[in-house]
Amino acid sequence: MDRISNLPINILDLILERLPLHDAARTTTLSKTWRTLWGSQAELVFDDVFFSHLVSKKHKQASEISLTISHILLVHSGHILKFHLNIPKTLPLLYTDSWIRNISNSGVKKLELFNKRPSAYKMPSYLFSCSELTDLTLDNCILSPPLGFGGFCNLITARLSHVQITSDMSFGAQLETLDLKYCTRTFNLRGQFRCDNNIRKLMITYCQNFDWQMFKYIRNVETLGLVSAYRFRRVISFDSLVCKMPRIQVLLLDVFPFKSVEPGASVVFRRLRIMDKLISLQISFGFYDLVQTQSVICLIRSSPNLQNLRIRLSYFFSSAFRLGDSFCFSRLALHG
């Protein structure tokens, strides 16, 4: 007698959630009730735990694992709101395009893809047809948007790591958070930084070929992180940067090559008065550099509402820089 299938639906959902993903998919062979339940599972997570379980328990080869994933997606008839995929070094990319095509037709809202293979994975054109996508995370991939792609309609957050952007593109006017790490050809994101952009949080870490002219339209930014160290050849005018961010609240500058217009000039101090909304500052700079030191002091004095401050001093600035002491202050009371 089947006692399990007659349990309340919420109990059956809990059972499915606790089963390994490939075992949960196999319940579709039990009855129509289980097929319906499996189709209602909105999150599919193919992570390291999933792959290690298959390899250790079933002793399957990489090609067999790929077929297992394809079968899981095939028997899933409902919406897939979250799709997480870790591509191991040994997994062939033969079926990956079809997986992306499958979820693009399933109303996916959150897509996370981490490619651990030595070569970057070129995202298929199906990605750009995910009209309901709100959260995108990519690692070790290539983005080549099709001609005429105008951006995602609903995308709010984009996190890219080790991603190459081959042609001009925009993630859409709704984008609020953009996090770029070790990305190349980022100058192709000019379309994202139009005057009507909605970016609230912008993080740029060790990105090559970044076009600083894109900072012309960042008035809505509330959190800004720039981690560049020695990889940026161009020295940025610090006062011209901050004057474009009247809403900035959190600022992270890690060994950033900035300069003021003129050491000691009153015009620098006047321009930095717009930082009255800044409440958190984390900064790393060369203490040996008088211009950088002056700019930091000017920034702190121009932030009357600053509450949290972390300062890290670099003793010398090179491709193998050494960091010195770190100072952290909270709930600051700054005067003069």
Side-chain angles (χ1 to χ4, degrees), residues 182-193:
Y182 300 95
C183 295
T184 57
R185 301 180 64 85
T186 52
F187 57 82
N188 283 317
L189 288 176
R190 295 189 190 97
Q192 185 63 56
F193 289 85

Side-chain angles (χ1 to χ4, degrees), residues 182-220:
Y182 300 95
C183 295
T184 57
R185 301 180 64 85
T186 52
F187 57 82
N188 283 317
L189 288 176
R190 295 189 190 97
Q192 185 63 56
F193 289 85
R194 296 189 298 252
C195 58
D196 59 343
N197 77 80
N198 194 41
I199 296 179
R200 299 288 194 271
K201 181 178 181 180
L202 177 61
M203 306 294 290
I204 303 174
T205 304
Y206 298 110
C207 290
Q208 300 177 10
N209 311 118
F210 195 85
D211 185 0
W212 297 104
Q213 295 298 322
M214 295 190 291
F215 276 93
K216 184 178 180 180
Y217 301 109
I218 55 173
R219 295 186 61 85
N220 293 324

Side-chain angles (χ1 to χ4, degrees), residues 81-82 107-111 130-137 152-159 171 174-177:
L81 302 184
K82 176 184 176 180
V108 63
K109 293 182 179 293
K110 186 173 184 178
L111 172 59
C130 298
S131 58
E132 298 183 35
L133 194 65
T134 61
D135 194 307
L136 176 65
T137 301
F152 297 95
C153 300
N154 299 294
L155 191 64
I156 297 175
T157 300
R159 305 179 190 88
F171 290 104
Q174 302 300 320
L175 191 72
E176 296 183 2
T177 298

Side-chain angles (χ1 to χ4, degrees), residues 44-250:
L44 297 183
V45 178
F46 301 96
D47 55 8
D48 291 337
V49 175
F50 169 82
F51 288 104
S52 61
H53 183 81
L54 278 186
V55 172
S56 62
K57 184 178 179 179
K58 304 295 183 180
H59 303 287
K60 291 190 174 183
Q61 300 297 321
S63 58
E64 294 180 283
I65 295 176
S66 296
L67 291 175
T68 298
I69 297 176
S70 298
H71 177 73
I72 290 175
L73 291 173
L74 180 64
V75 298
H76 193 288
S77 58
H79 290 288
I80 302 175
L81 302 184
K82 176 184 176 180
F83 182 77
H84 176 104
L85 175 63
N86 281 8
I87 303 178
K89 295 180 180 179
T90 57
L91 188 72
L93 298 174
L94 180 63
Y95 300 96
T96 311
D97 286 4
S98 64
W99 301 340
I100 302 299
R101 179 182 60 185
N102 191 301
I103 65 172
S104 68
N105 298 322
S106 302
V108 63
K109 293 182 179 293
K110 186 173 184 178
L111 172 59
E112 299 173 336
L113 192 150
F114 299 90
N115 176 25
K116 297 182 180 180
R117 293 176 59 85
S119 58
Y121 169 58
K122 183 178 179 181
M123 297 298 298
S125 58
Y126 308 117
L127 169 69
F128 303 97
S129 63
C130 298
S131 58
E132 298 183 35
L133 194 65
T134 61
D135 194 307
L136 176 65
T137 301
L138 299 177
D139 178 68
N140 193 20
C141 297
I142 299 174
L143 281 179
S144 298
L147 291 176
F149 177 69
F152 297 95
C153 300
N154 299 294
L155 191 64
I156 297 175
T157 300
R159 305 179 190 88
L160 308 182
S161 177
H162 299 92
V163 171
Q164 179 183 351
I165 304 167
T166 62
S167 58
D168 291 340
M169 71 167 293
S170 167
F171 290 104
Q174 302 300 320
L175 191 72
E176 296 183 2
T177 298
L178 179 59
D179 191 344
L180 305 174
K181 295 180 180 178
Y182 300 95
C183 295
T184 57
R185 301 180 64 85
T186 52
F187 57 82
N188 283 317
L189 288 176
R190 295 189 190 97
Q192 185 63 56
F193 289 85
R194 296 189 298 252
C195 58
D196 59 343
N197 77 80
N198 194 41
I199 296 179
R200 299 288 194 271
K201 181 178 181 180
L202 177 61
M203 306 294 290
I204 303 174
T205 304
Y206 298 110
C207 290
Q208 300 177 10
N209 311 118
F210 195 85
D211 185 0
W212 297 104
Q213 295 298 322
M214 295 190 291
F215 276 93
K216 184 178 180 180
Y217 301 109
I218 55 173
R219 295 186 61 85
N220 293 324
V221 172
E222 298 173 354
T223 299
L224 175 67
L226 299 174
V227 181
S228 61
Y230 53 90
R231 299 204 178 193
F232 285 112
R233 298 178 179 178
R234 180 181 175 186
V235 178
I236 308 303
S237 176
F238 186 62
D239 61 301
S240 64
L241 173 65
V242 299
C243 74
K244 295 179 174 63
M245 302 181 294
R247 301 181 182 180
I248 191 70
Q249 298 179 20
V250 179

